[in-house]
Amino acid sequence: MIIGASPVAPSFMSSPSSLTSGLIALHGNRTEWLLDAVASWLAEHPLAPLEPEVILVQSNGMAEWVKMALAREVGVCAAAQVQLPARFQWQIYRQVLGRHQVPTSSPFDKIPLTWRLMHLLPAIKTQPGFEPIAHYLAKGEAMHCFQLASRIADLFDQYQVHRPDWLDAWARGKEILRNAAGQTSPLPDDQRWQARLWQTVLGTLAPEQRQLSRAALHTRVLEVLNAPADLFDSQEVSLLGSAGALPRRVVLFGMTHVPRPTLELLGALATHCQVLLAVPNPSRFHWADAIDGRQWLRSQRRRMPLRGEE
């Protein structure tokens, strides 16, 4: 197992009252060993009595396994909030921006979005640009419309978690895709209906409802959490010392793929909370040590060519 700590992480103390903020990353090639390390860390650096541990996992099945495994390790698993990242992010949005600004649910959640699409799809099936999905609605049966609306709502829900930048571009009328490097490419012709349907959905919402999209809230929350210390101090009492306070520790466990917005939020929280990333790694060695010697020399030679070489 490889343990790495960020340079900004201070030394952690055992006392619950002295738990400090920072970021620690644990890598392991076996999930059970990774959990052993997390359980040991939680036991050696406890929170206050009855203060819940927040643990983020990638599925409900993993959540049940983590709770049972922690119970076996330490004898009991109580007051642990083992949840999916999307739900956790929404809770943080409410805690940072205030419950009066962020409701318990969003008009972009899957269920309300499904019913909104149920109303929109029959009206747009004859419009230009929606031919790829029009044949699903040709029979006019309510069940077909519901099934399609549910699948599209699920797709848009995944975009909100993993690719909010796509939805933001579509909302501004740009039918493009953006990769991890920030490079853009046009949407394929048979997929342009997605951008146009998203614009249609936004057109049915009031301006204040549009501001409840995950992308919009995410940007506002990062601005608050990343604010300079002197500006953040005025809000810190309400964030860290009230009933709706930020958690003092967040553990992300066993996720093989972490959406960029989740990483951005955890990075911002690390200046205010203790963040522990426990992620699987297929190798028990440092990746640089697993490279063949000749391959390493070739890579070094490419990086530092001899004088006079082009």
Side-chain angles (χ1 to χ4, degrees):
M1 178 173 294
I2 304 169
I3 301 179
S6 74
V8 299
S11 59
F12 294 95
M13 307 297 292
S14 303
S15 171
S17 60
S18 62
L19 196 68
T20 51
S21 61
L23 177 67
I24 287 183
L26 305 177
H27 299 264
N29 65 329
R30 294 186 59 177
T31 305
E32 57 270 30
W33 291 355
L34 201 57
L35 185 71
D36 290 344
V38 170
S40 299
W41 180 267
L42 301 186
E44 294 176 7
H45 307 83
L47 299 178
L50 302 182
E51 186 176 0
E53 289 281 2
V54 178
I55 305 175
L56 310 182
V57 294
Q58 63 185 3
S59 67
N60 291 323
M62 176 63 80
E64 294 304 315
W65 181 85
V66 166
K67 287 186 282 189
M68 292 187 292
L70 283 177
R72 286 193 299 267
E73 287 287 333
V74 300
V76 64
C77 179
Q81 298 179 1
V82 186
Q83 55 188 295
L84 303 181
R87 181 181 178 187
F88 166 76
Q89 287 177 237
W90 193 261
Q91 292 175 351
I92 295 297
Y93 296 162
R94 298 193 73 207
Q95 290 166 347
V96 172
L97 299 179
R99 298 184 178 182
H100 60 287
Q101 295 190 45
V102 184
T104 55
S105 60
S106 166
F108 299 100
D109 288 343
K110 182 179 177 180
I111 293 179
L113 188 56
T114 298
W115 294 111
R116 190 176 299 276
L117 289 170
M118 275 281 291
H119 176 73
L120 291 174
L121 288 176
I124 66 172
K125 65 181 181 180
T126 59
Q127 296 181 14
F130 291 97
E131 292 82 3
I133 62 173
H135 66 281
Y136 288 103
L137 306 168
K139 295 182 179 180
E141 296 182 6
M143 181 56 68
H144 288 178
C145 184
F146 174 76
Q147 291 173 345
L148 180 60
S150 179
R151 292 291 298 272
I152 296 175
D154 183 66
L155 182 65
F156 284 160
D157 185 64
Q158 293 298 314
Y159 286 163
Q160 290 185 76
V161 175
H162 296 275
R163 299 314 307 246
D165 54 329
W166 290 3
L167 297 180
D168 181 60
W170 298 351
R172 292 183 281 110
K174 298 181 179 180
E175 298 179 354
I176 60 173
L177 299 176
R178 183 177 286 108
N179 61 20
Q183 300 170 334
T184 61
S185 60
L187 265 171
D189 291 340
D190 61 345
Q191 298 298 325
R192 290 182 181 273
W193 65 268
Q194 295 190 44
R196 295 168 187 176
L197 183 56
W198 182 250
Q199 295 168 20
T200 303
V201 169
L202 295 179
T204 65
L205 299 173
E208 60 272 13
Q209 290 180 305
R210 298 179 195 175
Q211 296 304 314
L212 296 177
S213 69
R214 286 184 177 272
L217 294 176
H218 184 75
T219 301
R220 293 169 58 193
V221 168
L222 291 184
E223 290 176 353
V224 174
L225 293 177
N226 292 326
D230 54 341
L231 296 178
F232 189 84
D233 287 342
S234 61
Q235 306 177 58
E236 193 163 7
V237 174
S238 62
L239 289 175
L240 303 178
S242 65
L246 293 175
R248 289 202 298 152
R249 174 159 58 212
V250 180
V251 179
L252 185 142
F253 179 83
M255 294 184 63
T256 56
H257 175 74
V258 184
R260 180 172 179 174
T262 302
L263 285 176
E264 291 175 342
L265 183 61
L266 292 176
L269 284 173
T271 60
H272 311 285
C273 313
Q274 184 180 113
V275 177
L276 180 63
L277 305 181
V279 294
N281 190 324
S283 173
R284 62 189 294 261
F285 303 102
H286 189 274
W287 278 104
D289 296 335
I291 299 177
D292 178 77
R294 287 173 296 181
Q295 182 182 356
W296 183 84
L297 286 175
R298 283 195 297 267
S299 66
Q300 289 296 103
R301 191 169 184 272
R302 285 194 298 268
R303 291 177 54 192
M304 296 179 294
L306 295 177
R307 183 175 298 177
E309 289 188 354
E310 295 182 359

